[in-house]
Amino acid sequence: MDARYVFAVRFRLEPTVSGLALEPREFETRMSRQADPPGEDGWLFFRDNLWRGDIGDERYFSDLTSDALGVPVTGVNYRAFETDGEYYDALKAEIGANLADFKADSVSEVISKYLGSSVEVEY
């Protein structure tokens, strides 16, 4: 099973030595976070951080990303949830077993509510 959350991250480099100049000072890169197995600690990352295919609290998530990368982050955008079929089936089964926790009537409602249309499944 394999799955990851993919983000576009803009960050800025700030030289600590005088006399250095950077051009450009800002860069964008692709960052991915491995998804935890359904039902295990951390599997609810999507519920806690995403809403309708976007980051729920951009400032908080940018601060976390900045701390993780050790550079000033100027923006983070959620891009996709990339997964294989085995992980996706397990995720849907776990969501289905916990629908009440999501205040939803169906698995597809949960997927749409948090991940939007950004799910990319490779079978």
Side-chain angles (χ1 to χ4, degrees):
M1 289 194 319
D2 185 39
R4 72 195 57 75
Y5 301 93
V6 179
F7 303 89
V9 178
R10 284 201 65 76
F11 64 95
R12 182 177 58 249
L13 295 179
E14 297 177 351
T16 57
V17 176
S18 64
L20 293 181
L22 298 173
E23 192 60 40
R25 289 183 61 184
E26 284 198 6
F27 303 88
E28 184 170 302
T29 192
R30 179 179 193 249
M31 177 183 79
S32 63
R33 178 199 184 275
Q34 195 70 30
D36 295 297
E40 293 187 14
D41 283 344
W43 83 278
L44 292 171
F45 177 86
F46 68 95
R47 184 201 65 188
D48 298 340
N49 292 286
L50 304 174
W51 183 250
R52 306 247 184 249
D54 288 316
I55 295 172
D57 185 341
E58 291 179 32
R59 172 174 240 150
Y60 171 74
F61 203 86
S62 288
D63 289 347
L64 284 179
T65 304
S66 182
D67 290 345
L69 299 178
V71 294
V73 169
T74 60
V76 181
N77 292 301
Y78 173 70
R79 292 289 187 237
F81 181 69
E82 297 176 346
T83 182
D84 62 24
E86 182 182 2
Y87 184 98
Y88 195 51
D89 291 344
L91 177 66
K92 291 188 295 185
E94 191 67 31
I95 290 170
N98 295 284
L99 275 178
D101 294 343
F102 295 99
K103 298 181 174 87
D105 296 324
S106 69
V107 171
S108 60
E109 179 185 350
V110 173
I111 301 281
S112 177
K113 188 187 291 190
Y114 296 99
L115 297 169
S117 61
S118 64
V119 178
E120 299 175 11
V121 182
E122 187 174 309
Y123 285 95

